[in-house]
Every structure is written in C-alpha cells, then in structure tokens.
Amino acid sequence: NIFGSSWHPLYDNQTLARDEPLQLNPMTHSATEPTGMFAGYPYPFGLDPVWQVSTNMIVFTNSAKMKMSIIIGVIHMMFGIILGAFNHKFFKNNLSIYCE
C-alpha cells in the first residue's frame, strides 16, 4: 500500500466490529458534502486497497487479473511482430514482412 487509499470510511470501530455489510458513500468528501467517503482522485496504479474488505473481492480481482493478462498478452505479441519487422528490414527481406 504505497499510495494509500482513495476512500476514507467515516465508520467508527463499533460499527466495524458488528460485521455487517457496509456501503461506502461515493460522493466526494468536501465542506458541502461531509459524509462523502471518496477522496476525489483515482488510485494511481493497481487496485485500491479498499477492495480487500469487500464481499466480492475474489470475483472482482479475478476479473481484473484476466483483463490485465489479455492486455499484457496483446502488447507482448505486438512487440514480437514489430521486432520481427525490424529484423526483416535489416536483412532486406521485405517480402517476409507482408507474407509472414
């Protein structure tokens, strides 16, 4: 947890100890909205630590990991294609760029 969370729950310890499902207020915390729990800025990188206490943590993190693996896989394949194109260009084998 390098960046801290973008959510600041206003629940006291007694409310948290009851082990009841709680909902975070998505309004931005400000002088006009003192009950808002959102800091107003997204988490810089990765998943916000507040997901660790949610009831659907497993479902959400598995979905995020699957989407991230697809994105990384596509980037990896594009890097290989671009590297192959530079290799064919270096060896002056221009037909292989289009036919391979």
Side-chain angles (χ1 to χ4, degrees), residues 8-98:
H8 305 288
L10 302 175
Y11 300 118
D12 59 353
N13 288 337
Q14 293 175 346
T15 306
L16 295 173
R18 280 187 261 168
D19 200 28
E20 295 175 356
L22 301 171
Q23 173 127 6
L24 296 174
N25 183 0
M27 299 296 294
T28 304
H29 185 76
S30 63
T32 59
E33 186 64 45
T35 60
M37 297 180 185
F38 183 58
Y41 53 88
Y43 197 68
F45 182 75
L47 293 176
D48 197 303
V50 80
W51 280 104
Q52 297 298 320
V53 295
S54 84
T55 56
N56 63 341
M57 179 190 75
I58 297 293
V59 174
F60 179 78
T61 54
N62 283 346
S63 173
K65 287 189 288 186
M66 284 188 285
K67 291 172 186 170
M68 203 58 166
S69 67
I70 290 170
I71 291 169
I72 290 171
V74 169
I75 290 171
H76 184 260
M77 287 188 293
M78 285 175 34
F79 177 71
I81 291 169
I82 291 169
L83 202 60
F86 280 122
N87 196 24
H88 293 309
K89 193 75 165 164
F90 178 77
F91 288 110
K92 296 177 179 55
N93 194 358
N94 294 334
L95 187 61
S96 291
I97 294 173
Y98 302 107

